[in-house]
Amino acid sequence: MSEVYHRPDETFYVAPKEPPPSRRPPALTIGPVGWLRKNLFSSVSNTLITVITVGLMAAFFYELVTWSVAKAEWNVVNNTMRLMMVGLYPVDQIWRIELIAILLVFLSGLGLGVWGGNARGFFIIALMIIIAALFIPIGAEKIEPPPIRFLITPTDAIGPVVFVGDKDDTVRLSVEPIDDNAIANETSPFVGFIENSPGSSSSRALWNNAKAQVVAGTLDLTNYNLQLTVQLLDRSGKVLDEQLSTPTRRRVNFEFKLPADGWYYVQVLRDETSEAIYETVDGVQLPIAPARTLPNTGYAWIRIDGVDTMSSQVADVEQRTKTYGEVPAIQCPSAAECRRLLLEENTRFEGARSFSAFLKTQLDPFLQEIIVSLVVGFAVMLAAYSIGNFAKQSRNPSSKKAVSRVTIIGWIIFFPLSWILLSGFKDPDSVHPFLRLPEVAQSLWGGLILTIVLTFVSLTVAFPIGILLALGRRSKLPIISIFCILFIEVVRGVPLITILFMAKFIVPYFAKSMSDTELLIRLLVGLTLFTAAYNAEIIRGGLQIIPKGQIEASQALGLNPFATNAFIVLPQALRAVIPAMMSQSVSLFKDTTLVSIVGLFEFLGMIELIVNGQQIYRPYQREAYLFVGVIYFIISYIMSSLSRRLEESGAGTVRKMRKA
Amino acid sequence: MSEQSNSNGSGYIIECQDVNKWFGEFHVLKDINMKVKEREVVVVIGPSGSGKSTLIRCINRLEEHQEGKILVDGIELSNDLKNINAIRRETGMVFQSFNLFPHLTVMQNITLAQRYVRRRPRRDAEDMARQLLQRVGIPEQANKYPGQLSGGQQQRVAIARALAMQPKIMLFDEPTSALDPEMIKEVLDVMKELARSGMTMLVVTHEMGFAREVADRVIFMDSGRIVEIGTPEHFFENPSHERTKLFLSQIL
Ligand SMILES: Nc1ncnc2c1ncn2[C@@H]1O[C@H](COP(=O)(O)OP(=O)(O)OP(=O)(O)O)[C@@H](O)[C@H]1O
Ligand SMILES: [Mg+2]
């Protein structure tokens, strides 16, 4: 039969009357191994490239993950979460930001429900919820000041830790072993107090080794004797309380109630006597530390609870000075020791911890912090999704329409509403009691919320301006086109940071009326104009790909230039430039970091402030910046995923357009 | 309708008097004089580059002429935007490359200008669109996008889109030359039906069969000037001008 259909060797050919039946395409039968061979190991050089690349990636991730699990101290993230997220936004007003986060999640869920979503949609929303959940656990009244931990190494004690306290604040000091397990479980052996053997320098390996021996029970700790005196002093240097720590005690703790508002500091002294120490209990002298034969060295943590971290913003420093007086001038035990404290290597200790210790001491506190908001976030999302989905599935088409209209209106009022919620009213008594939100000065906004405000306000305002500039640049009226070209080229020719400096310093100088305007507003104007200029060029590119025939057809139908632009040119041009616009938006999102240079502390600026400005966090820059990177990446990923969805959605997508 | 348009007394709906146009230095239209009566079908033919498209595009001001006078329905084309808009409302145009709006459905393509320019309520505009789609033979395609239609269907949508404005004049610029032979016929059938219904049509085409069958008069252009105007019989059987004879001998 088949040779009737196919006779390639003949010069003349007439096909049979009936065409052959259609067949299914041949199945791909290579399987996973075949796929690997075909795609990764097809030749020697490809195999080499595959192996090297995979090897490098594996090595990098192995390092990163093991470090993150076994060594990193993520408490820096946990402890400073509020500052990183909302800056100095008043704690009792943070519920407004929580409300905004919930609204955002609700609207996203509603949209996903009504307009339908795929797996990626849900994934993006889950990411959004995680980000939203970082904005402080719902219902938390005041954040407990995080414990502050200082490392004591064989060569260092610690310099004075300065803090301000109010009358009747309770400060807790304790000396703890380093092992995370031991911290989580108070009964574990006192492995922190491990003496350095004479001659050899302190090393991690040594400590790990000793720790293993202690756990195995082969090392007797009675001979090891890190002896420290922990003192709490007031600003005049008077010792308010002190406690001796010795190896035989499980844990040294003491609590102290501060007598008055003011400056205090904690100081740790190394006890250099070599005699045994005794304590009198019930009239009997008991040795609590044996006589020392080795130098007084070893590792331990000093932990301080109940002390708030200090902001180094100028206004806050001034405020602090007014309330508590000048920072006390404190003499360090030795100048070298003070200075050495600032070095990461000398204050940061990296032992190795097990995975379960990681879960218990690193992940668990973090999860506890955000678990409530995570659950609430997912609940809100599910509720909204169900409402949307119910409307979508319902027989009555008008209910779908109603819900989708509500969603759109919701998104439209979401942005101004958020702004009002964030800033409150100057004169709260003048508005309806229901809306009586006290004003929160914009100088207090900070952290991630400020980054988000900067990004979205300048994006939404820059969008229409960009369109106008792009159209203006093509205008037939020379004045308009020259103005637009000049504006675009000047703005694009100047670095963003220069524009921000101009907004900060130069504009108020020329326009006196601007000098009272909040710095945030001035910087927003700068960012907006900057983005508008770039958007204009992107949109102009989109306008150029619209065939002339489209405009002619529109004119021939009698549509005026405005309608031609609004209905024919812009919808096509804008859709074509969604990817470019989105990448511009993502890069703006990242560029907002520059405002920290001119004095607003957005996300990155806040972290910088925390890890550079506060001694206690300085050793943990690695963790802090890694966290920053992850958050920036997640948000950028959300933004670009949304743009891909936008591209694929709706009528006459780009691909359909190309085909026409 | 005819009373009104004849109110200027001349009886012609399109009049070109000594029209000259240049593209830069290039003299593309030279002393064009021609008139089209109401309900007349006039076919413009000529070799490539002879200025046919330019002429037809001058009539609804997609191109601007520099000398002479063009009157459409008694209104003179000038830089006055009001006049241009008035004339564009009375003339529909169909392009060689369809120029449908790819981001709008067929229905939206046809209703957009009705609603925005004619200010017709949505329901009326959609009724009109459905009628016209019926008329051009593709009533079932209303909710598709242009990219989902064949070339012939797209061109028929384009005709429906122009007709929806209820123009007095239809201008066609080589409406079939971007189409496969099988689709040419369906578009020509629509145009023939339109001609029979009494529409005034000015058609640039290379379809000699169409010209012979439908045209009242044929205009032959060469290098920017009109060489010959005549009835199809006269033009095809017994052309007067040497250039016309040469042209016909090459294409027939
Ligand atoms: N925008 C323009 N600028 C400069 N020259 C042009 C322009 N449009 C057309 N021309 C020139 O004017 C002449 C006439 O062009 P036109 O498009 O009217 O010819 P045509 O008769 O329609 O030809 P065809 O049958 O190929 O469509 C051509 O030589 C063309 O190169
Ligand atoms: Mg042409």
Side-chain angles (χ1 to χ4, degrees):
Chain A
M1 265 303 274
S2 68
E3 61 273 8
V4 177
Y5 297 147
H6 190 61
R7 281 182 293 185
D9 51 327
E10 291 190 12
T11 320
F12 302 102
Y13 170 68
V14 176
K17 258 208 181 94
E18 294 297 317
S22 296
R23 291 184 297 128
R24 296 187 57 83
L28 272 176
T29 51
I30 54 171
V33 176
W35 184 91
L36 284 179
R37 191 167 298 149
K38 183 174 162 223
N39 290 293
L40 298 179
F41 303 104
S42 54
S43 69
V44 176
S45 60
N46 279 1
T47 307
L48 211 66
I49 291 170
T50 303
V51 168
I52 291 176
T53 315
V54 168
L56 282 177
M57 274 163 55
F60 174 74
F61 280 107
Y62 178 78
E63 276 299 312
L64 190 68
V65 170
T66 47
W67 178 80
S68 304
V69 169
K71 298 185 168 171
E73 289 288 342
W74 293 104
N75 292 335
V76 58
V77 172
N78 215 13
N79 292 351
T80 59
M81 188 65 92
R82 194 191 82 215
L83 284 176
M84 288 194 297
M85 290 298 134
V86 300
L88 301 174
Y89 206 86
V91 175
D92 55 351
Q93 300 295 325
I94 286 179
W95 63 268
R96 302 190 200 171
I97 297 178
E98 288 165 7
L99 189 63
I100 293 172
I102 288 186
L103 267 177
L104 178 77
V105 169
F106 185 81
L107 286 173
S108 311
L110 211 56
L112 199 65
V114 193
W115 295 311
N118 50 10
R120 200 170 71 210
F122 282 101
F123 180 60
I124 296 168
I125 267 212
L127 289 179
M128 281 170 72
I129 292 174
I130 290 172
I131 298 287
L134 293 180
F135 285 101
I136 305 313
I138 287 150
E141 284 186 347
K142 186 173 190 302
I143 311 278
E144 276 287 303
I148 296 168
R149 297 201 293 168
F150 286 91
L151 180 71
I152 296 176
T153 70
T155 47
D156 290 306
I158 72 169
V161 186
V162 188
F163 62 92
V164 290
D166 294 329
K167 190 173 182 319
D168 292 338
D169 278 359
T170 305
V171 175
R172 254 183 82 211
L173 294 172
S174 54
V175 178
E176 299 180 329
I178 295 165
D179 175 34
D180 283 312
N181 274 321
I183 293 167
N185 174 9
E186 302 225 355
T187 59
S188 72
F190 229 176
V191 280
F193 295 85
I194 291 173
E195 196 163 351
N196 201 17
S197 51
S200 85
S201 64
S202 63
S203 84
R204 234 168 269 172
L206 188 77
W207 186 84
N208 279 335
N209 186 23
K211 180 184 147 193
Q213 289 180 32
V214 170
V215 173
T218 53
L219 184 66
D220 181 10
L221 281 176
T222 46
N223 272 333
Y224 293 83
N225 56 352
L226 180 68
Q227 276 167 216
L228 302 168
T229 304
V230 184
Q231 295 179 320
L232 177 67
L233 304 96
D234 69 8
R235 66 168 303 149
S236 63
K238 195 179 100 198
V239 178
L240 299 173
D241 199 350
E242 67 178 341
Q243 188 111 22
L244 174 74
S245 90
T246 65
T248 50
R249 293 195 177 166
R250 280 267 174 266
R251 182 178 288 258
V252 174
N253 274 325
F254 67 90
E255 264 184 22
F256 193 79
K257 228 183 198 149
L258 301 180
D261 296 1
W263 289 94
Y264 296 89
Y265 64 100
V266 171
Q267 183 170 288
V268 179
L269 304 173
R270 222 176 270 277
D271 207 339
E272 295 296 352
T273 70
S274 56
E275 271 123 60
I277 298 171
Y278 298 91
E279 200 173 54
T280 316
V281 181
D282 298 332
V284 185
Q285 262 207 341
L286 294 173
I288 57 169
R292 215 185 7 248
T293 53
L294 295 170
N296 184 8
T297 53
Y299 292 92
W301 287 114
I302 298 293
R303 175 180 160 139
I304 307 172
D305 280 292
V307 170
D308 217 344
T309 52
M310 289 187 282
S311 150
S312 57
Q313 282 211 316
V314 179
D316 298 309
V317 173
E318 277 170 7
Q319 179 64 34
R320 207 154 51 219
T321 315
K322 235 177 21 211
T323 327
Y324 301 101
E326 290 290 335
V327 192
I330 296 161
Q331 277 194 327
C332 295
S334 77
E337 207 149 67
C338 271
R339 242 180 287 118
R340 231 180 288 130
L341 257 177
L342 308 180
L343 294 175
E344 184 180 330
E345 265 62 45
N346 292 328
T347 47
R348 185 188 170 103
F349 176 81
E350 290 196 342
R353 74 165 84 80
S354 67
F355 189 69
S356 69
F358 167 74
L359 293 183
K360 213 185 259 173
T361 63
Q362 304 295 314
L363 203 58
D364 189 49
F366 182 67
L367 283 182
Q368 284 191 359
E369 187 115 331
I370 69 165
I371 191 78
V372 181
S373 24
L374 268 185
V375 170
V376 171
F378 275 102
V380 167
M381 196 284 280
L382 273 182
Y385 177 77
S386 318
I387 296 173
N389 203 36
F390 181 74
K392 185 178 142 197
Q393 310 271 314
S394 92
R395 296 253 175 86
N396 186 355
S398 69
S399 74
K400 179 184 176 184
K401 214 178 218 172
V403 172
S404 76
R405 196 163 291 169
V406 165
T407 313
I408 291 171
I409 294 173
W411 276 116
I412 293 172
I413 60 172
F414 174 73
F415 292 101
L417 183 73
S418 305
W419 181 269
I420 293 173
L421 268 174
L422 276 176
S423 47
F425 297 98
K426 260 215 170 61
D427 183 11
D429 294 336
S430 68
V431 292
H432 190 274
F434 186 64
L435 289 169
R436 208 157 274 171
L437 298 169
E439 189 187 22
V440 175
Q442 283 164 1
S443 56
L444 297 179
W445 303 11
L448 189 56
I449 190 75
L450 180 61
T451 299
I452 292 175
V453 165
L454 287 167
T455 309
F456 286 93
V457 171
S458 41
L459 278 184
T460 34
V461 182
F463 184 65
I465 299 179
I467 292 177
L468 290 180
L469 283 172
L471 292 174
R473 187 168 184 163
R474 284 158 58 105
S475 166
K476 289 203 184 76
L477 302 175
I479 297 296
I480 291 186
S481 72
I482 287 174
F483 169 79
C484 291
I485 291 174
L486 207 68
F487 178 87
I488 293 170
E489 294 309 329
V490 166
V491 172
R492 290 197 330 145
V494 173
L496 176 56
I497 186 66
T498 317
I499 293 176
L500 295 180
F501 273 121
M502 288 213 299
K504 181 171 183 181
F505 297 116
I506 301 181
V507 172
Y509 181 77
F510 286 111
K512 289 277 187 306
S513 59
M514 284 287 279
S515 56
D516 284 342
T517 317
E518 287 275 5
L519 179 61
L520 174 62
I521 303 286
R522 278 186 266 149
L523 295 187
L524 272 177
V525 171
L527 279 173
T528 302
L529 295 182
F530 178 79
T531 312
Y534 277 87
N535 281 354
E537 283 302 278
I538 292 172
I539 293 170
R540 190 167 69 100
L543 294 176
Q544 275 166 350
I545 65 159
I546 305 301
K548 213 161 161 258
Q550 290 288 310
I551 298 165
E552 288 176 351
S554 171
Q555 288 175 338
L557 285 169
L559 292 166
N560 60 25
F562 172 79
T564 302
N565 277 325
F567 299 132
I568 308 301
V569 177
L570 283 176
Q572 297 184 52
L574 292 180
R575 202 179 277 281
V577 298
I578 288 174
M581 289 282 276
M582 229 354 148
S583 81
Q584 173 63 28
S585 307
V586 171
S587 88
L588 171 75
F589 167 64
K590 292 175 292 180
D591 284 348
T592 55
T593 46
L594 289 176
V595 305
S596 66
I597 299 177
V598 288
L600 283 188
F601 292 96
E602 45 61 71
F603 192 38
L604 184 69
M606 207 69 210
I607 304 258
E608 240 161 46
L609 202 67
I610 292 166
V611 294
N612 291 333
Q614 307 218 21
Q615 221 184 53
I616 53 165
Y617 291 121
R618 204 162 296 162
Y620 306 111
Q621 303 197 359
R622 259 179 264 167
E623 287 88 345
Y625 285 116
L626 203 63
F627 177 73
V628 175
V630 169
I631 296 294
Y632 272 109
F633 171 73
I634 292 179
I635 297 182
S636 304
Y637 179 79
I638 292 174
M639 286 170 80
S640 54
S641 303
L642 287 179
S643 95
R644 239 171 295 145
R645 251 184 90 75
L646 206 64
E647 265 171 67
E648 289 160 7
S649 74
T653 62
V654 182
R655 259 171 272 141
K656 277 186 206 152
M657 201 171 96
R658 299 257 160 76
K659 241 167 81 185
Chain B
M1 209 211 288
S2 56
E3 315 312 306
Q4 193 195 1
S5 57
N6 282 341
S7 57
N8 56 26
S10 68
Y12 293 104
I13 195 160
I14 303 174
E15 282 179 72
C16 295
Q17 298 169 6
D18 298 321
V19 173
N20 277 286
K21 172 167 179 59
W22 291 261
F23 281 124
E25 290 288 299
F26 178 59
H27 199 168
V28 54
L29 293 181
K30 299 171 185 160
D31 297 326
I32 301 291
N33 279 294
M34 65 116 185
K35 292 173 179 174
V36 177
K37 273 194 273 212
E38 201 157 332
R39 304 172 75 86
E40 204 177 15
V41 177
V42 175
V43 169
V44 182
I45 57 179
S48 182
S50 56
K52 310 180 296 287
S53 299
T54 311
L55 172 62
I56 198 173
R57 286 157 60 85
C58 278
I59 289 168
N60 69 350
R61 199 58 166 201
L62 290 180
E63 301 286 359
E64 208 174 307
H65 60 284
Q66 283 111 333
E67 273 182 23
K69 235 164 122 178
I70 299 178
L71 291 160
V72 178
D73 200 17
I75 308 168
E76 181 174 357
L77 272 176
S78 61
N79 279 330
D80 188 345
L81 275 180
K82 230 171 66 202
N83 283 356
I84 295 175
N85 283 336
I87 286 169
R88 283 182 180 160
R89 270 200 294 271
E90 303 307 332
T91 50
M93 182 146 185
V94 176
F95 300 86
Q96 178 175 357
S97 50
F98 326 141
N99 293 349
L100 291 179
F101 306 130
H103 61 299
L104 301 178
T105 62
V106 166
M107 179 56 86
Q108 290 165 333
N109 261 282
I110 303 178
T111 52
L112 175 69
Q114 294 187 62
R115 295 185 58 194
Y116 190 82
V117 181
R118 290 271 188 230
R119 304 248 165 247
R120 240 174 240 159
R122 180 199 181 113
R123 199 172 295 263
D124 296 0
E126 287 184 353
D127 285 345
M128 165 74 90
R130 268 188 284 272
Q131 270 174 32
L132 286 169
L133 285 175
Q134 186 79 44
R135 188 169 168 193
V136 299
I138 40 173
E140 69 288 348
Q141 311 288 3
N143 293 318
K144 288 198 181 161
Y145 285 93
Q148 298 166 308
L149 302 182
S150 75
Q153 289 170 330
Q154 288 192 44
Q155 193 61 297
R156 285 186 281 165
V157 172
I159 295 174
R161 179 176 72 177
L163 289 177
M165 299 297 287
Q166 294 176 311
K168 292 182 182 159
I169 307 161
M170 285 287 282
L171 306 173
F172 291 85
D173 189 1
E174 302 193 30
T176 56
S177 37
L179 297 177
D180 295 341
E182 282 185 39
M183 298 174 187
I184 291 179
K185 185 176 173 301
E186 59 192 34
V187 172
L188 287 182
D189 285 346
V190 169
M191 289 170 64
K192 284 176 195 167
E193 187 271 328
L194 195 59
R196 253 177 269 129
S197 76
M199 175 64 76
T200 311
M201 290 163 66
L202 187 57
V203 185
V204 176
T205 186
H206 295 299
E207 295 296 327
M208 294 307 155
F210 175 82
R212 240 184 250 246
E213 186 184 337
V214 182
D216 296 312
R217 283 187 296 145
V218 176
I219 297 178
F220 177 65
M221 287 182 72
D222 182 43
S223 24
R225 67 187 178 123
I226 293 180
V227 175
E228 192 164 347
I229 303 181
T231 61
E233 299 81 49
H234 171 79
F235 182 83
F236 288 109
E237 311 306 336
N238 190 15
S240 319
H241 198 281
E242 282 306 311
R243 183 68 188 88
T244 320
K245 284 178 193 159
L246 181 67
F247 178 73
L248 289 174
S249 71
Q250 276 166 352
I251 60 161
L252 292 179

